């Protein structure tokens, strides 16, 4: 762990993941360029350094992945994996998805997102206690992404569960990179959708014409469509579900701020931003270093893997006043969705789902506590959030 003189941070250590912020604070203040000898990676934790580095794709490349294990495995990545590409190919592929994730099209989804949330909450309305992750966090994002992709509702849980399994850690804390890159879950749907086109993302991806990096006008191959669908399903299910879990946990820890949101729901939009800053679901992002980099009088050699710890950057006192204070009135920018070319394409959708979930949950359950003895953090190397979060409803009929 850590001693008074030695800082040790291991992204695979579940004990450190339970409360990583003391270690993050020490990294940021004492070793802003940190090297982990055991797993052979560098870590950068200050806001300005993360902002500069994540925007510099020429030096800190995504072409070998943005997950530490995948970078170090040095495997071939399928085309169309936006988060594992650099410009100009990345920009070409990103534009195809950006057509679907425009602010106008996302805003139009709100009635359907709200309907999914209300349906998820119906079985627990009036309950004395329930697991927020099981009831809403694992349910609502799954329905939203399934709707976007055109996956039948009956099949959506299997898609979600497979995504969760690929992100879970195993064998000493590491994910199976072969599983996380698998596209098999969507192959049958692609074949079926060819014969039954619809108003969904899968159909749009199969039919959209674009000019590729060679200047050829074409449509996506089946394998490319499969990769797109896998990326959207993974990003949309896991991270948004964890955001809803953090909403439940933080509103229990800060009941006075929860009461403010109940009294004035217009504050919820800003509260979601503070939750994203305070407990980012994706706490760090990996990059491959393409050239020697001089930082803090040290050299990060070309070929290294580096982790930009956005969760540490989000609490950098050089950027924020009282950074360890949770404040729903704070107006600020954060690093949770990244910066530059790889800024999260689904940020607007995640914000929409977070806001709608908060509005609907607070409308039914204005007060709750958490049974912390039975709450469990999910242990993955890419996402941090609650696997189970039992809410105990205050004032429920008994």
């Amino acid at each position: 762990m850590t001693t008074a003189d030695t800082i040790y941070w291991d992204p695979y250590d579940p004990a450190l993941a339970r409360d990583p912020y003391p270690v993050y604070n020490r990294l940021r203040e004492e070793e802003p360029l940190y090297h982990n000898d055991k797993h052979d990676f560098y870590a950068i934790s200050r806001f300005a350094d993360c902002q500069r580095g994540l925007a510099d794709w020429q030096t800190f490349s995504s072409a070998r992945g943005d997950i530490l294990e995948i970078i170090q495995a040095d495997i071939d990545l399928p085309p169309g994996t936006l988060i594992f590409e650099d410009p100009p190919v990345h920009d070409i592929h990103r534009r195809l998805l950006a057509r679907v994730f425009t602010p106008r099209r996302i805003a139009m989804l709100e009635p359907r997102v709200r309907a999914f949330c209300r349906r998820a909450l119906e079985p627990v309305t009036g309950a004395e206690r329930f697991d927020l992750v099981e009831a809403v966090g694992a349910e609502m994002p799954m329905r939203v992404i399934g709707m976007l992709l055109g996956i039948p509702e009956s099949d959506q849980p299997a898609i979600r569960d497979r995504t969760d399994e690929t992100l879970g850690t195993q064998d000493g804390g590491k994910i199976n990179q072969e599983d996380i890159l698998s596209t098999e879950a969507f192959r049958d749907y692609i074949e079926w959708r060819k014969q039954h086109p619809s108003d969904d993302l899968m159909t749009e991806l199969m039919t959209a014409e674009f000019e590729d990096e060679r200047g050829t006008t074409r449509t996506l191959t089946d394998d490319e469509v499969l990769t797109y669908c896998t990326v959207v399903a993974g990003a949309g299910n896991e991270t948004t579900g964890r955001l809803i879990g953090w909403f439940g946990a933080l509103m229990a820890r800060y009941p006075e701020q929860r009461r403010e949101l109940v009294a004035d729901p217009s504050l919820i939009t800003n509260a979601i931003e503070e939750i994203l800053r305070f407990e980012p679901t994706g706490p760090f992002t990996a990059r491959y270093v393409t050239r020697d980099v001089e930082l803090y009088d040290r050299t990060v050699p070309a070929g290294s893997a580096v982790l930009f710890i956005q969760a540490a950057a989000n609490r950098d006192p050089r950027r924020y006043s009282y950074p360890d204070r949770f404040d729903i009135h704070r107006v600020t920018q954060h690093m949770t969705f990244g910066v530059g070319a790889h800024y999260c394409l689904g940020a607007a959708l995640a914000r929409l789902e977070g806001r709608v979930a908060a509005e609907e949950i607070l409308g039914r359950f204005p007060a709750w506590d958490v049974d912390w003895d039975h709450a469990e953090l999910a242990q993955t190397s890419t996402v941090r959030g609650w696997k189970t979060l039992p809410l105990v409803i205050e004032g429920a009929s008994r």
Side-chain angles (χ1 to χ4, degrees), residues 47 51 270 273-274 276-278 310 313-316 319-321 330-339 343 351:
F47 188 98
Q51 186 177 50
N270 201 72
E273 294 303 309
E274 178 67 347
L276 287 164
R277 180 196 73 86
F278 197 74
Q310 288 122 298
N314 280 350
R315 299 199 188 189
D316 188 340
R319 176 76 180 190
Y320 307 100
S321 300
R330 187 191 302 268
V331 179
T332 188
Q333 293 181 320
H334 51 74
M335 293 291 294
T336 298
F337 291 126
V339 294
Y343 182 81
R351 287 178 164 120

Side-chain angles (χ1 to χ4, degrees), residues 349-393:
L349 181 59
R351 287 178 164 120
L352 171 65
E353 291 187 67
R355 174 177 60 80
V356 168
E359 289 170 354
E360 295 296 327
I361 293 166
L362 289 170
R364 287 166 176 75
F365 308 103
W368 66 81
D369 202 350
V370 169
D371 178 359
W372 296 110
D373 290 339
H374 295 93
E376 181 183 356
L377 273 174
Q379 173 57 19
T380 81
S381 64
T382 55
V383 177
R384 180 171 174 267
W386 296 98
K387 183 177 180 180
T388 60
L389 191 75
L391 302 192
V392 181
I393 306 304

Side-chain angles (χ1 to χ4, degrees), residues 248-261 278 315 324-328 372:
L250 291 169
M251 291 300 98
R253 287 175 179 164
Y254 300 95
E256 70 287 351
Q257 298 193 57
R258 184 189 66 224
R259 286 190 285 269
E260 284 192 73
L261 298 182
F278 197 74
R315 299 199 188 189
D324 292 318
R325 177 187 297 173
F326 179 72
D327 181 4
I328 61 171
W372 296 110

